[in-house]
Amino acid sequence: MKIYLVGGAIRDKLLKINVKDKDWVVVGSDIQSMLKLGFKLVGKDFPVFLHPTTYEEYALARTEYKNGHGYKGFKYYSTPFISLKEDLFRRDLTINAIAQDNLGNFYDPYNGLKDIKKRILRHVSSSFKDDPLRVLRVARFAAKLKYLNFKIHDSTLELMKIMSNSGELLYLKPERIWKETYLALKSNHPHIFFQILKKCNALSIIFPEINQLYGIPAPVKWHPEIDTGIHTMLTLKIISQLTKNVSTRFAALCHDLGKGLTPKKLWPRHPGHGIAGIPLIKKLCKKLKIPNNYKILSLLAAKIHDIIHDIYNQKPIDILNIYNIIDAWRKPERVEQIALISEADARGRLTLESLEYKQGKYFINMYKYISTLDIKNIINNFNLKGININKKIQKERIKLIKYFLKLKN
């Protein structure tokens, strides 16, 4: 029996990325032998074990073949006679198909070390196309490793197009799509993920709501880039520079979905696009089983992001209404989230990326000022009950907003 470290741990170590998880492959063993050594069997579809002390994953060397649709349409074959080379052959990218023994020696039959050096994302073999999830995985790796100048090899991108056009992506489970999307949104360049999906014809299948935005014009006065799809990617790029919070990034991605429903006769204007986007956001979140807090923030951002642009001209009652709508008093973090999304929207335009967005800070500082109101004092010192308490609080908040506006004018 021989044990090798494989996959992402080797890749990340070579790229000087913090290694979080280690995966191991076991050659020359079987299930019974592993159990006798104290390993715990956890794999449902193929033999994967947890180490008795480190709890790291150890998988028996295996081969696989396509036997149906989607990423689950596989049959796995594992015996003590399967070689390390055969096991690595089934992996997605050459940079993930490197093994290392306990002496530190690399086993690299598919030139992954060379591709790491050249910063290339390249498929190991034509069997890559058997697993449709790999289209999303490669797009996600492209986003994750963009800062290291990794690029997808032309042959791999061509294979991804073939996979997208085959109909196989339709069989992907929502949970798997969201997992890859979530990991992409966590990266430094999540817009690359969606751009790659667009490039290989997968965006129209996985995210038709976003794909629909491409080719839809916006007024050149406000949007030098003109195309709403391009604007959406620029917005995602900016928001990712402003915050690492994934729910905020996702909400920024969805902020203009309503423009995909604007009748052509109204182009390039998009009146009411924020409200129009609400059903699309709900549908997308339901389809991919996206967490509820992501959905709520996205709905709020769609409704409000344009209003923040015009915050200086809003009436005190309307400003208070914004804070009430986002439930800022119980969810204060939403104030900054909405401000950042509006900033990303304003700066996510060609030639305007360095724009100083004062409205966001204004919106945040006004909230901080209003939050100085002593609610307990109102409850304890005024003889009020029920709804009258809330009316008094709202009245006092209006006074503070008016005073804040005087101080700033």
Side-chain angles (χ1 to χ4, degrees), residues 140-317:
R140 191 247 298 175
F141 277 120
K144 175 183 177 179
L145 300 176
K146 167 66 176 175
Y147 77 102
L148 292 174
N149 296 316
F150 269 83
K151 288 184 173 59
I152 301 173
H153 193 272
D154 288 344
S155 63
T156 302
L157 189 62
E158 192 59 36
L159 203 53
M160 291 165 67
K161 288 180 182 178
I162 293 172
M163 295 164 70
S164 298
N165 296 334
S166 72
E168 278 288 302
L169 296 182
L170 295 171
Y171 294 93
L172 289 175
K173 298 292 184 183
E175 295 88 350
R176 299 305 295 269
I177 294 174
W178 174 242
K179 181 180 178 182
E180 294 299 326
T181 304
Y182 172 80
L183 292 173
L185 286 169
K186 280 184 67 177
S187 72
N188 289 334
H189 299 92
H191 63 288
I192 298 296
F193 173 77
F194 296 96
Q195 287 177 340
I196 294 298
L197 294 184
K198 176 66 176 174
K199 201 170 184 179
C200 71
N201 303 332
L203 193 66
S204 61
I205 301 167
I206 305 297
F207 295 101
E209 304 87 351
I210 298 171
N211 187 70
Q212 191 175 3
L213 298 177
Y214 282 90
I216 293 180
V220 68
K221 178 181 178 181
W222 308 113
H223 289 273
E225 74 288 344
I226 302 174
D227 191 291
T228 304
I230 295 174
H231 164 64
T232 298
M233 291 300 103
L234 289 171
T235 299
L236 182 57
K237 181 179 179 180
I238 295 296
I239 195 67
S240 302
Q241 296 169 2
L242 297 174
T243 178
K244 293 183 181 296
N245 184 271
V246 179
S247 62
T248 310
R249 293 179 174 189
F250 178 75
L253 174 70
C254 296
H255 81 285
D256 267 354
L257 288 188
K259 289 183 178 179
L261 300 176
T262 304
K264 286 187 178 181
K265 63 182 180 181
L266 297 178
W267 289 0
R269 296 176 58 253
H270 298 277
H273 71 274
I275 300 299
I278 288 175
L280 291 176
I281 294 170
K282 289 181 178 179
K283 182 180 178 182
L284 173 61
C285 292
K286 182 178 181 180
K287 178 177 65 177
L288 296 185
K289 301 181 180 180
I290 294 170
N292 196 51
N293 62 312
Y294 284 57
K295 180 182 75 173
I296 292 172
L297 181 61
S298 299
L299 295 174
L300 293 172
K303 291 178 186 176
I304 293 167
H305 70 274
D306 271 353
I307 302 176
I308 307 302
H309 298 333
D310 195 42
I311 193 71
Y312 299 129
N313 297 317
Q314 298 297 317
K315 297 177 181 177
I317 185 64

Side-chain angles (χ1 to χ4, degrees), residues 4-16 19 21-23 95 97-101 105-107 113 116:
Y4 299 87
L5 180 66
V6 293
I10 296 175
R11 177 199 70 228
D12 288 350
K13 185 176 180 181
L14 291 171
L15 292 172
K16 294 181 172 52
V19 176
D21 300 303
K22 291 182 178 180
D23 293 318
I95 66 170
I98 306 168
Q100 189 176 30
D101 64 21
N105 300 309
F106 290 112
Y107 186 74
L113 293 172
I116 284 178

Side-chain angles (χ1 to χ4, degrees), residues 230 367 403:
I230 295 174
Y367 171 75
Y403 192 67

Side-chain angles (χ1 to χ4, degrees), residues 15-57:
L15 292 172
K16 294 181 172 52
I17 297 173
N18 183 41
V19 176
K20 294 182 180 179
D21 300 303
K22 291 182 178 180
D23 293 318
W24 306 83
V25 66
V26 182
V27 179
S29 188
D30 56 27
I31 293 176
Q32 292 305 317
S33 298
M34 295 294 286
L35 293 175
K36 285 181 181 179
L37 291 171
F39 286 82
K40 182 180 179 181
L41 181 63
V42 293
K44 294 180 180 180
D45 301 315
F46 48 82
V48 176
F49 305 83
L50 293 183
H51 190 280
T53 55
T54 67
Y55 301 104
E56 291 173 344
E57 286 192 1

Side-chain angles (χ1 to χ4, degrees), residues 89-146:
F89 183 78
R90 67 178 175 77
R91 297 176 186 269
D92 52 6
L93 299 172
T94 60
I95 66 170
N96 296 330
I98 306 168
Q100 189 176 30
D101 64 21
N102 61 344
L103 297 176
N105 300 309
F106 290 112
Y107 186 74
D108 181 31
Y110 306 109
N111 297 313
L113 293 172
K114 185 178 179 180
D115 283 345
I116 284 178
K117 188 176 181 180
K118 288 189 172 183
R119 302 302 199 241
I120 294 174
L121 300 173
R122 187 198 315 257
H123 62 284
V124 172
S125 71
S126 60
S127 62
F128 173 92
K129 67 180 185 299
D130 292 339
D131 185 356
L133 188 65
R134 288 176 171 175
V135 172
L136 277 73
R137 276 177 56 82
V138 174
R140 191 247 298 175
F141 277 120
K144 175 183 177 179
L145 300 176
K146 167 66 176 175

